[in-house]
């Protein structure tokens, strides 16, 4: 992380400091003059927005923790006290609650940008992998955070998710007992979830640092997917992208504020304002919206896989669901090797673009059915065969995996690309005269 | 040290000095010359110290790591699992009650003659988790099971009058749609196993101890 040769600063104090620890030189190199492709569209704002959300979550989280009590007898009431009695407690909690949703919105758009413009491809594989690791850590953090208010959804969400582990033969149950510290989700569980919920965001900060470090080794991708060739292709990060990022961030923050101030519970579930009750499961338990597609994949597996014509089950439906759910995220880790097509951007790959957009629709459909009760009948195919939401989830799950395992490898071999500009500069010039937009 | 410098970098010690192998680079030394076996495989005093130190370090790390992991397992007070005594005298035929045991609900159902018959008549071979009704009850009238769905741990519906009890007249788990019969056996949906039967003893005709 050396900052390279230094140019002296005018300000005496900064110069004194920088000679001893070249932070200013480094910041100037990485965020001041850093050469950045000049053709970014607004999709490139979401990294900075996600970073902003991470900081927001940490600040609002630490202030909540000053009033929160991680004990099953006190947790629910301490959150209600935050809402009613603590000065601006309602604001801080609504910022934190909706912040989790908006953090995921930013990250999902950020991931989509990576998929659409092929940012995961060589030489940015490691950058991509760090991104997937951040995503996993975020899911763990959000899951444990949702348990803290100790409402009905908290309790039953924790029960269902920790029960995933019992799907694994032999080791599963001891692992589950170890995780929850008892025979059912209870005080030990809440206590450790709070400890980890406090810790993980700082681990995320660490991985974000690696993510950004890797980014600054390779430089950013851009909407054409063509690497910058000379200085006509780039602009200094400041002021061009500090401005564009700030503008995008403001728009995003406005939408976020609308939720915080006018519809703070819109994205949550009313059942979580009922205190946890181990004796009664709510009629319809659902995770938070950002987990729904994965929840749908979990529920889509309804048959055991066994040796045909015998009773022997190799993978029970329960284990199958859990494996597919984890697999649906793990597969992102190997994406750079599944799609080996030399052209990055979907702009020049019409087939890839079509299948990718279909993939996005699939994920949305999974999210939709994931939020519905299991097995809702939709329509009759024949007299006795009813098409249900489970079938929809199954079809969508097949496409989800087929996209990665079949479609991408095949397209890598056969897809013919549209004519491409020679450089970013040329693409921008051509765009100004003919294409009108920059999507 | 200086005479041993290059050899120690390749096998952590030994007496392989430069005089014995004048033209080997430090990496080549020892490893790819079987004749040098006595230098590396043989075990000099340095190897011995190296390995015992390594082994001690591993034991040391392990003995610190294990408490850090094991502290997450159920603590002694959690393990001192209580037993619960339940008075059954108030329960009429066809009624159920739910009691708490080890932080989990336990379903106690006084089954009707019809329900018992339904549970006994089914061909065990057609079941997912093959268990006959007689293996699951001590007295046919009383079914006692842990009310935790074996899929992902929800509490199935069917205890209260008016609850949906599923196609097999037992319990229905609303979470992902598992259906249990009048013996608490899994009949449909994603759950792999029958509702678990806890340890229990009848202390008298109307008093049962769970645990
Ligand atoms: C990656 C960043 C984070 C995410 C995604 C996240 C997510 C969440 C979520 C979803 C909730 C439940 C909100 C609700 O329904 O009430 C929550 C609660 C909570 N979080 Fe975080 N959090 C993050 C960082 C932090 C940090 C750094 C702290 C610092 C200790 C913290 C402390 C708390 C506390 C005390 C609660 C319970 C109060 C409440 O429920 O409103 N969080 N978090
Ligand atoms: S927990 Fe009962 S069906 Fe999933």
């Amino acid at each position: 992380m050396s900052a390279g040769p230094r140019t002296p600063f005018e300000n005496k104090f900064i110069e004194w400091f920088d000679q001893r620890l070249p932070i200013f030189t480094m910041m100037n190199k990485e965020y001041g003059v850093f050469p950045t492709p000049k053709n970014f569209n607004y999709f490139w704002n979401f990294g900075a927005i996600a970073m902003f959300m991470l900081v927001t979550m940490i600040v609002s989280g630490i202030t909540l923790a000053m009033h929160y009590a991680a004990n099953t007898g006190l947790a629910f009431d301490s959150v209600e006290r935050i809402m009613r009695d603590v000065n601006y407690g309602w604001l801080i909690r609504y910022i934190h609650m909706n912040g989790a949703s908006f953090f995921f919105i930013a990250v999902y758009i950020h991931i989509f940008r990576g998929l659409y413009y092929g940012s995961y491809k060589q030489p940015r594989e490691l950058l991509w992998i760090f991104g997937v690791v951040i995503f996993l850590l975020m899911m763990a953090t959000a899951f444990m955070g949702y348990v803290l208010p100790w409402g009905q959804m908290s309790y039953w969400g924790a029960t269902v998710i920790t029960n995933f582990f019992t799907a694994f033969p032999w080791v599963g149950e001891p692992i589950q007992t170890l995780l929850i510290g008892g025979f059912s989700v209870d005080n030990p569980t809440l206590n450790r979830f709070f400890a980890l919920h406090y810790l993980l965001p700082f681990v995320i900060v660490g991985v974000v640092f690696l993510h950004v470090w890797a980014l600054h080794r390779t430089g950013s991708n851009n909407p054409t997917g063509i690497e910058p060739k000379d200085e006509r292709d780039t602009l200094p990060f400041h002021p061009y992208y500090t401005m564009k990022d700030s503008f995008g961030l403001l728009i995003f923050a406005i939408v976020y504020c609308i939720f915080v101030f006018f519809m703070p519970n819109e994205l949550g579930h009313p059942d979580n304002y009922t205190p946890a009750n181990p004796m009664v499961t709510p009629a319809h338990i659902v995770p938070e919206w950002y987990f729904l597609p994965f929840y749908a994949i979990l529920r889509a597996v309804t048959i055991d896989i066994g040796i045909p014509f015998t009773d022997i089950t190799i993978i029970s439906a329960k284990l199958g669901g859990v494996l597919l759910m984890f697999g649906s995220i793990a597969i992102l880790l190997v994406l750079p090797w599944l799609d080996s097509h030399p052209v990055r951007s979907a702009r020049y790959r019409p087939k890839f673009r079509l299948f990718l957009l279909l993939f996005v629709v699939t994920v949305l459909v999974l999210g939709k059915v994931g939020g519905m009760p299991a097995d809702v009948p939709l329509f009759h195919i024949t007299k006795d065969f009813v098409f249900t939401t489970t079938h929809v989830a199954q079809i969508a799950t097949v496409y989800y995996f087929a996209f990665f395992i079949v479609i991408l490898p095949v397209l890598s071999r056969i897809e013919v690309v549209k004519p491409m500009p020679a450089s970013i500069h040329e693409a921008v010039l051509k765009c100004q005269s003919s294409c009108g937009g920059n999507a | 040290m200086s005479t041993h410098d290059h050899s120690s970098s390749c096998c952590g010690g030994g007496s392989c000095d430069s005089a014995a192998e004048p033209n080997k680079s430090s990496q080549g030394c020892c490893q790819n010359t079987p004749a040098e076996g006595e230098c590396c495989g043989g075990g000099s005093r340095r190897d011995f110290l190296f390995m015992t130190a390594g082994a001690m370090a591993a034991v040391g790390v392990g003995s610190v790591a294990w408490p850090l992991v094991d502290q997450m397992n159920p603590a002694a007070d959690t393990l001192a699992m209580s037993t619960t005594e339940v008075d059954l005298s108030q329960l009429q035929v066809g009624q159920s009650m739910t009691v708490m045991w080890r932080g989990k609900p336990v379903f106690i159902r006084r089954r009707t003659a019809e329900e018992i018959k339904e549970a006994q008549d089914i061909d065990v071979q057609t079941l997912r988790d093959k268990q006959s009704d007689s293996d699951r009850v001590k007295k046919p009238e009383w079914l006692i099971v842990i009310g935790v769905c074996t899929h992902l741990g929800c509490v199935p519906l069917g205890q209260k009058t008016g609850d949906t009890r599923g196609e097999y007249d037992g319990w229905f788990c609303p979470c992902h749609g598992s259906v249990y019969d009048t013996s608490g056996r899994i009949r449909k949906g994603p759950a792999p196993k029958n509702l678990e039967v806890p340890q229990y003893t009848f202390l008298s005709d109307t008093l049962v101890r769970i645990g």
Side-chain angles (χ1 to χ4, degrees):
Chain A
M1 286 236 80
S2 114
R6 286 180 353 96
T7 28
F9 287 87
E10 297 237 337
N11 182 305
K12 286 241 174 58
F13 173 73
I14 291 183
E15 177 58 17
W16 179 90
F17 193 103
D18 202 67
Q19 276 176 353
R20 285 154 183 85
L21 185 66
I23 284 183
F24 294 96
T25 300
M26 186 193 86
M27 285 307 286
N28 187 40
K29 175 170 165 261
E30 303 296 340
Y31 288 102
V33 296
F34 193 70
T36 313
K38 67 176 177 185
N39 57 336
F40 279 0
N41 56 31
Y42 278 104
F43 275 119
W44 264 261
N45 280 5
F46 287 89
I49 291 174
M51 193 92 101
F52 168 81
M53 288 315 303
L54 180 58
V55 174
T56 305
M57 293 310 282
I58 289 179
V59 172
S60 59
I62 290 176
T63 42
L64 279 176
M66 294 180 187
H67 306 279
Y68 171 78
N71 177 291
T72 49
L74 306 171
F76 188 86
D77 292 342
S78 77
V79 173
E80 285 310 303
R81 185 177 159 270
I82 291 173
M83 295 298 291
R84 294 161 200 227
D85 298 338
V86 174
N87 302 330
Y88 293 105
W90 59 273
L91 178 62
I92 301 173
R93 173 154 186 257
Y94 281 155
I95 286 176
H96 199 74
M97 241 171 90
N98 289 281
S101 286
F102 277 80
F103 195 2
F104 274 95
I105 292 176
V107 165
Y108 279 131
I109 298 176
H110 191 66
I111 295 174
F112 169 74
R113 187 278 318 263
L115 290 172
Y116 192 89
Y117 296 108
S119 304
Y120 49 85
K121 288 185 188 178
Q122 201 266 338
R124 298 185 182 81
E125 302 94 325
L126 200 55
L127 173 58
W128 171 260
I129 288 172
F130 281 131
V132 179
V133 172
I134 293 169
F135 180 46
L136 282 168
L137 287 169
M138 273 176 68
M139 303 222 284
T141 309
F143 157 63
M144 290 193 271
Y146 196 60
V147 177
L148 302 185
W150 208 243
Q152 273 290 65
M153 282 295 162
S154 300
Y155 181 88
W156 290 102
T159 298
V160 167
I161 308 257
T162 53
N163 259 298
F164 288 170
F165 292 92
T166 61
F168 296 96
W170 305 299
V171 292
E173 247 165 87
I175 290 181
Q176 189 223 14
T177 308
L178 181 88
L179 287 177
I180 64 180
F183 304 107
S184 56
V185 171
D186 211 332
N187 199 48
T189 323
L190 177 61
N191 241 296
R192 66 191 54 186
F193 277 17
F194 182 50
L196 294 174
H197 184 69
Y198 209 132
L199 169 71
L200 286 190
F202 296 92
V203 177
I204 295 179
V205 170
V207 185
V208 167
F209 181 81
L210 297 177
H211 186 73
V212 172
W213 188 358
L215 171 70
H216 282 225
R217 289 284 297 179
T218 59
S220 300
N221 187 26
N222 65 81
T224 64
I226 300 168
E227 293 292 336
K229 298 202 168 70
D230 56 43
E231 62 281 12
R232 282 178 310 167
D233 292 342
T234 61
L235 291 169
F237 191 81
H238 181 72
Y240 294 95
Y241 286 116
T242 41
M243 268 305 125
K244 188 161 182 159
D245 278 350
S246 307
F247 177 70
L249 179 60
L250 277 177
I251 304 287
F252 187 85
I254 289 172
V255 182
Y256 175 25
C257 284
I258 292 175
F259 273 82
V260 168
F261 288 101
F262 299 105
M263 40 211 287
N265 290 304
E266 199 59 34
L267 299 169
H269 202 291
D271 273 339
N272 221 26
Y273 284 102
T274 311
N277 179 356
M279 306 296 268
V280 181
T281 310
H284 177 207
I285 62 167
V286 278
E288 295 137 285
W289 68 266
Y290 36 81
F291 292 137
L292 290 177
F294 306 104
Y295 193 59
I297 291 177
L298 170 82
R299 293 196 301 188
V301 185
T302 51
I303 39 167
D304 298 334
I305 300 170
I307 302 171
F309 311 114
T310 66
D311 282 336
I312 303 163
T313 321
I314 302 173
I315 298 179
S316 66
K318 173 171 162 182
L319 180 59
V322 171
L323 288 178
L324 276 198
M325 188 190 61
F326 284 125
S328 65
I329 297 164
I331 202 162
L332 293 172
L333 291 169
V334 291
L335 171 62
W337 294 274
L338 293 173
D339 176 9
S340 56
H341 197 284
V343 171
R344 292 198 186 96
S345 174
R347 265 194 194 173
Y348 308 108
R349 295 185 58 189
K351 292 204 181 72
F352 169 69
R353 178 180 157 134
L354 181 74
F355 284 112
L356 176 63
L357 294 178
L358 209 60
F359 175 77
V360 173
V361 173
T362 303
V363 172
L364 295 176
V365 167
L366 280 170
K368 176 77 188 142
V369 294
M372 294 165 75
D375 269 333
V376 179
L378 296 174
F379 52 83
H380 283 269
I381 287 196
T382 63
K383 216 152 184 271
D384 345 275
F385 187 79
V386 190
F387 196 76
T388 67
T389 46
T390 305
H391 296 117
V392 176
Q394 284 165 344
I395 293 169
T397 302
V398 168
Y399 183 78
Y400 185 105
F401 284 96
F403 175 73
F404 289 110
I405 299 172
V406 181
I407 295 173
L408 287 183
V410 170
L411 285 188
S412 301
R413 281 202 199 135
I414 62 163
E415 181 163 18
V416 182
V417 294
K418 292 210 271 197
M420 293 175 64
S423 68
I424 296 174
H425 181 63
E426 195 191 298
V428 172
L429 285 185
K430 212 189 267 162
C431 202
Q432 271 164 359
S433 58
S434 65
C435 77
N438 59 357
Chain B
M1 270 312 281
S2 60
T3 56
H4 282 291
D5 263 353
H6 89 275
S7 59
S8 55
S9 72
C10 84
C11 45
S15 52
C16 169
D17 64 9
S18 39
E21 286 286 328
N23 49 2
K24 277 260 149 73
S25 77
S26 63
Q27 271 123 38
C29 161
C30 303
Q31 271 139 352
N32 37 16
T33 39
E36 289 291 42
E38 76 273 17
C39 140
C40 289
S44 63
R45 176 150 41 174
R46 186 174 296 184
D47 287 334
F48 177 75
L49 290 175
F50 191 70
M51 281 160 66
T52 40
M56 281 315 288
V59 170
V61 168
S63 57
V64 175
W66 176 242
L68 290 180
V69 172
D70 194 40
Q71 55 82 20
M72 291 180 64
N73 270 319
D77 60 338
T78 314
L79 277 178
M81 52 166 206
S82 56
T83 53
T84 305
E85 284 184 17
V86 189
D87 175 12
L88 303 173
S89 57
Q90 299 303 313
L91 218 54
Q92 306 295 317
V93 173
Q95 283 187 329
S96 317
M97 68 192 286
T98 310
V99 296
M100 182 95 134
W101 175 68
R102 276 184 171 188
K104 294 178 191 175
V106 171
F107 293 164
I108 303 178
R109 181 160 181 83
R110 187 164 183 187
R111 299 189 290 183
T112 61
E114 236 169 90
E115 287 170 349
I116 298 172
K117 188 166 173 339
E118 224 177 293
Q120 288 172 343
D121 282 359
I122 173 85
D123 175 9
V124 173
Q125 286 312 309
T126 62
L127 297 174
R128 182 177 299 168
D129 185 5
K130 298 175 189 25
Q131 243 185 345
S132 69
D133 187 57
S134 54
D135 291 339
R136 297 177 52 78
V137 289
K138 294 203 171 143
K139 299 180 182 181
E141 193 173 36
W142 297 98
L143 177 70
I144 302 183
V145 290
I146 296 181
V148 172
C149 180
T150 58
H151 181 227
L152 295 174
C154 292
V155 179
L157 297 173
Q159 286 297 90
K160 280 196 255 136
T161 36
D163 275 358
T164 27
R165 298 176 56 189
E167 301 147 59
Y168 295 92
D169 300 324
W171 289 269
F172 171 74
C173 182
C175 291
H176 319 95
S178 288
V179 181
Y180 297 92
D181 66 13
T182 56
S183 186
R185 288 173 300 200
I186 179 67
R187 300 297 287 272
K188 208 183 140 194
K193 291 226 159 59
N194 301 335
L195 292 180
E196 197 185 327
V197 178
Q199 290 256 353
Y200 63 87
T201 2
F202 278 95
L203 301 175
S204 74
D205 272 354
T206 56
L207 192 65
V208 67
R209 188 179 60 210
I210 302 172

